[in-house]
């Protein structure tokens, strides 16, 4: 038995009859057509990323492009916001496993962003089952029987509006070959989902619009241009109106913050605003300035939205979006409710309240939560400021003032500590161990961690090692060296083993994760993405 594939397409993942419903010949032909049409454009965009990084490595700073000043200064707006997307004040995000999809859609949030990217380990099983789960959710037939709890999960009458986040342009899908080469992962995620679900989604949730997407990891408007062309082709193939598809772009790279007007302009008819992807943004700051020893960051817990460069990024995003008549979405609340410690739980919820109050008062139209337990708290904060108003797009009183390149590049203040180093190691190794076993969203130390925070941990340690940073927040002022790193890794591995227990540690992939994480931290050159190196370890070819 095997998949019925069109010419030039090879499926190297395990055969499953249920997966066959997703990997139909026509759906694969649609994906292959996208790949063939846009392959050269994608390759060029990735080459441009490398060239830009080389310039930054030669001490050039990112900034606003003089060539596109007319776009930034122009008096234009994006297409009108569709009614189903008017109110997005609280959005929940999470991977596409079956129980999560049901709980997120039932959570009381306005939107559920189903994630094929940072919250998902892209194993063949996860990807294909995720497509099945989203199809069943849109059909209204999705159910899940938790045998351990003897509980059946199914959809409520009123559910969140579904967005889907495909993987970034840089990632391959090694289980699907098109003309002998791995498919572009985001075109697989987008293509399979769109092909099977666009019609019913538009009849139900979309009310004549949709489907809706989140687009990650962009660095330049040329990448938005490719997405816009992909959307136009998909709409043409499906026979639906231009501008039916809508997408929110995550501004989660430092180069992209200087391209926000240009990105919105490229996606004009398809835009659903921008989002502050703040964890990846911190990672991108380190990555962009990897050759700048004068830009070493403090402990990652100190790089909050109150830092000047982060506040400037948020303010500029709000002003840009509202000027162009689209949503400005806030960042992730990653806290997890603490059930067995009411005092600690209240302290965590208070942090969430303060963060979300800051966002809504700054002018954000909505925000993200990682856990259903946070929804009531966040909803209360946004309701108290916005009332019955669907969004703040027309509220000029909250628009930020002028924001300069210097504001966006200012070095964050703070100190580096031994505990910061230890936390980076613990989080990085434990997340990677889970990812290698197929879990992409991991609760660790009161927070829901995904690939973005693991990337910060890895890149920050690399940066400290590369330039021999001193842990200036500690009384001893220890210098970060390879020998210190090796010693601390050994100590933290012992701590992880103690925390998770011997059986779980022995059956996990902690040693493998430790070796991979350590190798990347000690590498002479910073790898672009932690998951690119790790991806080869989860590809199973049959």
């Amino acid at each position: 038995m095997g998949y019925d594939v069109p010419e030039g397409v090879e499926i190297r993942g395990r055969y499953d009859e249920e997966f066959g419903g997703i990997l139909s010949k026509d759906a694969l032909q649609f994906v292959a057509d996208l790949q063939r049409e846009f392959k050269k454009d994608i390759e060029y965009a990735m080459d441009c990323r490398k060239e830009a990084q080389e310039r930054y490595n030669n001490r050039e700073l990112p900034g606003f492009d003089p060539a596109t000043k007319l776009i930034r200064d122009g008096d234009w707006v994006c297409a009108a916001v569709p009614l189903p997307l008017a109110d997005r004040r609280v959005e929940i995000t999470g991977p596409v496993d079956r129980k999560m999809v049901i709980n997120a859609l039932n959570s009381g949030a306005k939107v559920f962003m189903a994630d094929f990217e940072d919250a998902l380990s892209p194993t063949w099983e996860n990807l294909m089952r995720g497509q099945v789960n989203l199809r069943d959710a849109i059909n209204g037939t999705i159910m899940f029987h938790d045998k351990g709890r003897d509980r059946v999960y199914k959809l409520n009458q009123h559910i969140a509006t579904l967005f889907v986040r495909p993987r970034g342009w840089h990632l391959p899908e090694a289980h699907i070959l098109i003309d002998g080469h791995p498919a572009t992962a985001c075109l697989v995620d987008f293509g399979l989902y769109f092909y099977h679900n666009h019609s019913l989604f538009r009849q139900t949730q979309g009310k004549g619009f949709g489907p809706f997407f989140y687009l990650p990891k962009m660095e330049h408007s040329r990448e938005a241009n490719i997405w816009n062309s992909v959307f136009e082709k998909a709409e043409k193939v499906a026979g639906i109106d231009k501008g039916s598809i809508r997408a929110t772009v995550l501004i989660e790279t430092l180069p992209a913050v200087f391209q926000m007007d240009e990105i919105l302009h490229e996606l004009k008819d398809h835009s659903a605003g921008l989002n502050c992807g703040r964890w990846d943004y911190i990672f991108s700051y380190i990555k962009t300035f990897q050759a700048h020893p004068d830009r070493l960051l403090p402990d990652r817990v100190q790089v909050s939205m109150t830092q000047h460069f982060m506040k400037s990024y948020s303010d500029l995003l709000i002003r840009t979006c509202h000027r162009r008549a689209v949503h400005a979405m806030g960042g992730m609340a990653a806290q997890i409710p603490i059930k067995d410690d009411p005092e600690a739980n209240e302290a965590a919820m208070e942090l969430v309240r303060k963060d979300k109050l800051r966002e809504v008062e700054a002018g954000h139209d909505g925000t993200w939560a990682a856990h259903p337990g946070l929804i009531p708290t966040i909803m209360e904060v946004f309701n108290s400021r916005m009332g019955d108003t669907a969004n703040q797009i027309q509220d000029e009183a909250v628009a930020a003032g002028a924001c300069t390149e210097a504001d966006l590049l200012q070095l964050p203040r703070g100190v580096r500590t031994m505990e910061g180093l230890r936390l980076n190691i613990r989080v990085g190794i434990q997340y990677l161990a889970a990812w290698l076993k197929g879990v992409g969203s991991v609760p660790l130390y009161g927070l829901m961690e995904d690939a973005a925070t693991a990337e910060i941990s890895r890149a920050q340690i690399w940066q400290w090692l590369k330039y021999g940073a001193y842990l200036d927040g500690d009384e001893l002022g220890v210098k970060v060296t390879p020998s210190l790193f090796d010693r601390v890794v050994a100590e933290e591995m012992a701590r992880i083993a103690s925390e998770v227990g011997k059986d779980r540690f022995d059956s996990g992939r902690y040693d493998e994760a430790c070796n991979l994480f350590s190798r990347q931290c000690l590498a002479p050159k910073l790898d672009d993405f932690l998951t690119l190196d790790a991806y080869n370890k989860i590809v199973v070819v049959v």
Side-chain angles (χ1 to χ4, degrees), residues 170-181:
H170 61 285
L171 291 168
E173 178 44 64
H175 297 99
I176 300 178
L177 301 184
I178 297 175
D179 301 329
H181 300 282

Side-chain angles (χ1 to χ4, degrees), residues 284-349:
S284 180
Y285 189 97
I286 300 171
K287 182 178 173 182
T288 302
F289 293 127
Q290 60 186 268
H292 297 237
D294 56 332
R295 290 185 177 272
L296 305 187
L297 263 61
D299 288 358
R300 73 178 177 102
V301 297
Q302 298 178 37
V303 188
S304 69
M305 294 303 296
T306 60
Q307 292 274 7
H308 183 78
F309 88 109
M310 296 295 284
K311 182 180 184 300
S312 300
Y313 147 62
S314 172
D315 287 346
L316 181 59
L317 184 143
I318 294 166
R319 190 178 88 244
T320 303
C321 287
H322 288 180
R323 186 180 176 201
R324 307 308 180 189
V326 287
H327 286 76
M329 302 303 296
M332 173 69 78
Q335 287 80 2
I336 304 167
I338 306 168
K339 296 180 180 179
D340 56 353
D341 190 336
E343 189 173 332
N345 185 66
E346 179 53 33
M349 291 304 104

Side-chain angles (χ1 to χ4, degrees), residues 242-500:
K242 180 180 177 181
S244 295
I245 298 171
R246 295 298 173 98
T248 301
V249 173
L250 289 126
I251 301 300
E252 54 186 350
T253 70
L254 187 62
V257 80
F258 298 100
Q259 288 270 315
M260 290 194 289
D261 275 305
E262 292 88 335
I263 287 169
L264 289 175
H265 193 264
E266 291 291 353
L267 286 163
K268 213 171 182 182
D269 293 329
H270 296 105
S271 179
L274 305 174
N275 171 283
C276 283
R278 58 193 186 187
W279 306 125
D280 263 309
Y281 191 75
I282 297 169
F283 162 54
S284 180
Y285 189 97
I286 300 171
K287 182 178 173 182
T288 302
F289 293 127
Q290 60 186 268
H292 297 237
D294 56 332
R295 290 185 177 272
L296 305 187
L297 263 61
D299 288 358
R300 73 178 177 102
V301 297
Q302 298 178 37
V303 188
S304 69
M305 294 303 296
T306 60
Q307 292 274 7
H308 183 78
F309 88 109
M310 296 295 284
K311 182 180 184 300
S312 300
Y313 147 62
S314 172
D315 287 346
L316 181 59
L317 184 143
I318 294 166
R319 190 178 88 244
T320 303
C321 287
H322 288 180
R323 186 180 176 201
R324 307 308 180 189
V326 287
H327 286 76
M329 302 303 296
M332 173 69 78
Q335 287 80 2
I336 304 167
I338 306 168
K339 296 180 180 179
D340 56 353
D341 190 336
E343 189 173 332
N345 185 66
E346 179 53 33
M349 291 304 104
E350 185 58 26
L351 288 175
V352 173
R353 289 187 196 98
K354 287 181 179 179
D355 182 49
K356 299 311 167 186
L357 184 61
R358 174 195 56 77
E359 287 186 329
V360 70
E361 289 183 344
H364 280 293
D365 303 291
T367 190
W368 275 15
H371 192 283
L374 302 182
I375 304 276
T377 297
I378 299 174
M379 191 70 77
E380 182 181 2
V381 172
F382 268 75
N383 288 347
S384 68
R385 174 65 174 81
M386 291 170 55
D388 294 331
T389 306
N391 54 63
Q392 303 190 86
I393 292 173
Q394 304 301 323
D395 191 348
E396 295 182 5
V398 296
C403 185
T404 68
E405 291 176 354
D407 289 320
L408 295 164
L409 298 176
Q410 187 183 98
L411 182 68
R413 296 172 179 163
V415 296
R416 293 173 288 277
T417 68
M418 179 62 77
E419 180 49 38
L421 176 63
R422 291 186 181 279
L423 183 62
N424 280 344
I425 290 169
R426 282 201 308 279
V427 168
I429 291 174
Q430 289 186 84
Y431 179 81
L432 195 50
W435 195 91
L436 291 171
K437 290 202 74 172
V439 179
S441 185
V442 186
L444 293 170
Y445 309 111
L447 298 175
M448 190 65 75
E449 306 282 14
D450 68 5
T453 43
E455 290 283 27
I456 297 173
S457 299
R458 184 265 307 194
Q460 185 162 61
I461 293 172
W462 180 91
Q463 185 189 49
W464 292 356
L465 282 163
K466 174 79 172 177
Y467 298 109
Y470 283 89
L471 302 178
D472 51 1
D474 296 321
E475 291 183 8
L476 296 178
V478 176
K479 183 179 181 179
V480 182
T481 63
S483 59
L484 174 70
F485 174 72
D486 289 342
R487 176 172 65 81
V488 176
V489 165
E491 292 170 357
E492 293 307 311
M493 281 290 281
R495 176 172 174 175
I496 292 169
S498 174
E499 289 178 350
V500 305

Side-chain angles (χ1 to χ4, degrees), residues 25-79:
K25 189 172 184 178
D26 288 345
L28 288 170
Q29 185 66 62
F30 177 63
V31 172
D33 289 345
L34 293 177
Q35 174 84 11
R36 289 165 180 151
E37 183 164 344
F38 299 108
K39 186 175 186 290
K40 289 184 179 179
D41 294 330
I42 297 166
E43 290 172 348
Y44 175 70
M46 296 305 98
D47 287 342
C48 288
R49 282 190 187 182
K50 293 176 183 176
E51 291 174 5
Q53 186 60 58
E54 288 176 5
R55 295 196 301 272
Y56 305 144
N57 289 350
N58 288 323
R59 310 292 289 172
E60 184 178 315
L61 300 179
F64 296 108
D65 186 352
T68 52
K69 188 176 186 297
L70 288 177
I71 292 176
R72 292 193 299 279
D73 293 346
D75 187 20
W76 52 270
V77 295
C78 295

